[in-house]
Amino acid sequence: MNTWTIMSYELRRLLRSRSMLLNMFLLPLVLIFLLGSSLSGVMGNGKDSTIEPVNVGIISQSGEGLASSAMVASFLKTPEISKIIVPLEVESRKTVESGLRSGKYGYAVVIPANFDSEVQSGGAAKLEYILGKDRTDNMVVGTVFDNFLSSINAKQAVALTLGPEALTAEATTSGDHALVTLGKLSEGGMTYTASQFYAVSMMLMFLLYSGLTVTTSLFNEKENHTLFRINSMPVTGSQLFIGKMLGVGIVSIFQCIAILLLSHWFFGVDWGNRPGLLLLFCLLMIIASMTLSIIISLFSKNLAGARSLITVITVIMTFISGGMAPLPESWVNSVGVYTLNHWAMQAILRMMLHSGLSQILPNLAVLSLICLVLFSAAVISYRRVGYHE
């Protein structure tokens, strides 16, 4: 009974605070809108990108153009490659460099004079690239020719190791296959937009800030000298903690649902096809946030110190998990794994891509384990430090 009384009082106190409601419900939506719209060019808009054909200047050091290399000429005539690359023979390096600066060519390739004979004699296949102005064109054409050279060098290695007969056997079993295939990275043929990415990031960051509400409430009881009165009543410390956590937790759940629904209605954010699992991840984030804040509150001397520490931890975890800006996968999957945001964010983004359960459940298990550890640490901290004036 005492627990429910404390919980209802906490709910009334929070719902009467206009600044609290603005910070918890309005501010996340404003940030999602601003970040999603302003950074849509960086993250993409969720639609397929079309690769336009690139004019590629071809220079032969022998002065014969494409005729100097039957292998390169045959490769460029394949249907898949002709959709991506438009080969244009150029007389000299000076001419092609001038064309690259003016935008006439998007890329240039220099063919050695003895390219075919070098390959046929067992040497390594090598070409020289001259990059253009457009980063996408450089990446596309460079990938195409890298695959071409890799295929030739792989066959050379097989022939030198196993003999020419191995190449014949490989061609018979594998059949024809394209060196370049256009496709999508996501399993379901989808990709998330900037609005989706920052909706996840901002929601998780503000769920972490929900623990700050518990901290403020606990220190207010001390500063207003109401904790002494509460302790004089038949109210145990566990009832006080549970009541306050339930009150803040219910408001945080309302906050989470509001962000999910309003971002979907107003900004078109698709949260995926697993709403139950999505809410479970949000609930675990709320539990982790509140237990972490309780631990910090028990060891802090004043509200200012506790608020500063929680704010710094929240910002750092949001940043290194890639929540403020997309970071390299090597960084996110190494340093980011030590944050709460990482496990929830990666799982929710996979839900948005309609990935299978096998890719989501490991994140759920890790986040559940983190919550268990933090909850145990909070209980142990309370028993050792206590909550008193």
Side-chain angles (χ1 to χ4, degrees):
M1 188 65 181
N2 292 332
T3 301
W4 301 114
T5 302
I6 295 172
M7 180 195 74
S8 61
Y9 170 78
E10 196 70 20
L11 280 174
R12 288 195 301 269
R13 187 184 65 83
L14 291 174
L15 295 177
R16 282 198 302 262
S17 174
R18 294 182 180 180
S19 61
M20 182 70 66
L21 294 177
L22 289 175
N23 290 333
M24 294 185 71
F25 292 90
L26 182 60
L27 187 57
L29 294 172
V30 172
L31 288 176
I32 290 170
F33 170 73
L34 293 177
L35 293 172
S37 57
S38 62
L39 298 177
S40 58
V42 178
M43 290 292 300
N45 55 10
K47 299 179 181 178
D48 297 338
S49 298
T50 302
I51 297 178
E52 300 294 336
V54 183
N55 293 330
V56 178
I58 304 295
I59 310 169
S60 173
Q61 291 183 341
S62 65
E64 299 176 4
L66 280 172
S68 65
S69 174
M71 297 177 68
V72 175
S74 175
F75 171 69
L76 293 175
K77 289 180 182 178
T78 56
E80 295 83 4
I81 303 304
S82 60
K83 296 177 182 178
I84 304 173
I85 293 177
V86 179
L88 301 173
E89 298 185 23
V90 186
E91 296 178 356
S92 64
R93 178 186 289 269
K94 184 178 180 180
T95 303
V96 80
E97 289 177 351
S98 176
L100 288 170
R101 286 192 292 269
S102 64
K104 181 179 179 181
Y105 308 114
Y107 201 85
V109 176
V110 180
I111 305 174
N114 57 346
F115 181 81
D116 285 12
S117 59
E118 181 71 18
V119 171
Q120 291 168 0
S121 62
K126 296 180 180 180
L127 295 172
E128 181 183 352
Y129 304 149
I130 305 177
L131 305 183
K133 293 181 176 180
D134 190 272
R135 178 175 175 272
T136 302
D137 290 347
N138 293 335
M139 181 175 62
V140 170
V141 180
T143 301
V144 169
F145 278 99
D146 284 343
N147 286 344
F148 169 63
L149 296 179
S150 297
S151 176
I152 293 176
N153 290 325
K155 291 179 180 179
Q156 292 282 54
V158 170
L160 291 174
T161 306
L162 304 177
E165 298 81 5
L167 291 177
T168 306
E170 180 187 1
T172 304
T173 56
S174 62
D176 295 333
H177 60 279
L179 291 176
V180 177
T181 303
L182 300 180
K184 302 173 183 177
L185 291 176
S186 59
E187 164 183 305
M190 303 175 63
T191 181
Y192 51 80
T193 64
S195 294
Q196 287 178 296
F197 179 85
Y198 285 107
V200 178
S201 171
M202 292 300 102
M203 181 184 70
L204 294 178
M205 186 177 75
F206 278 89
L207 290 182
L208 280 178
Y209 275 126
S210 64
L212 197 58
T213 308
V214 178
T215 299
T216 303
S217 179
L218 291 174
F219 274 98
N220 282 341
E221 300 292 354
K222 292 183 179 182
E223 294 174 357
N224 296 333
H225 303 290
T226 54
L227 180 59
F228 180 78
R229 300 177 188 176
I230 295 174
N231 288 334
S232 65
M233 298 178 183
V235 178
T236 63
S238 60
Q239 291 174 338
L240 178 62
F241 269 89
I242 294 173
K244 287 185 174 293
M245 288 182 65
L246 286 176
V248 175
I250 291 173
V251 174
S252 299
I253 291 172
F254 286 153
Q255 175 195 26
C256 176
I257 294 174
I259 294 174
L260 295 176
L261 295 179
L262 295 177
S263 63
H264 176 68
W265 292 337
F266 294 155
F267 311 138
V269 175
D270 180 12
W271 289 93
N273 59 348
R274 303 182 189 277
L277 201 55
L278 175 62
L279 290 176
L280 179 56
F281 271 98
C282 294
L283 180 60
L284 290 174
M285 282 295 295
I286 293 171
I287 294 173
S289 171
M290 289 193 295
T291 51
L292 177 62
S293 297
I294 286 174
I295 295 171
I296 294 174
S297 300
L298 292 175
F299 288 96
S300 298
K301 294 182 179 180
N302 52 61
L303 177 59
R307 287 176 65 93
S308 299
L309 184 55
I310 293 172
T311 302
V312 169
I313 291 175
T314 299
V315 172
I316 290 176
M317 286 199 296
T318 302
F319 175 76
I320 65 177
S321 64
M324 293 187 176
L327 297 176
E329 289 294 326
S330 57
W331 173 276
V332 173
N333 292 326
S334 57
V335 181
V337 298
Y338 297 101
T339 66
L340 293 169
N341 308 55
H342 171 83
W343 299 103
M345 186 171 182
Q346 296 302 317
I348 295 175
L349 289 176
R350 290 187 183 120
M351 292 182 207
M352 289 178 168
L353 300 178
H354 294 192
S355 300
L357 277 175
S358 59
Q359 299 182 24
I360 301 172
L361 292 180
N363 293 53
L364 179 63
V366 172
L367 193 57
S368 301
L369 180 60
I370 293 174
C371 288
L372 180 61
V373 171
L374 288 175
F375 183 82
S376 302
V379 172
I380 295 172
S381 300
Y382 174 75
R383 289 181 176 178
R384 290 189 176 183
V385 179
Y387 175 57
H388 47 76
E389 294 279 2

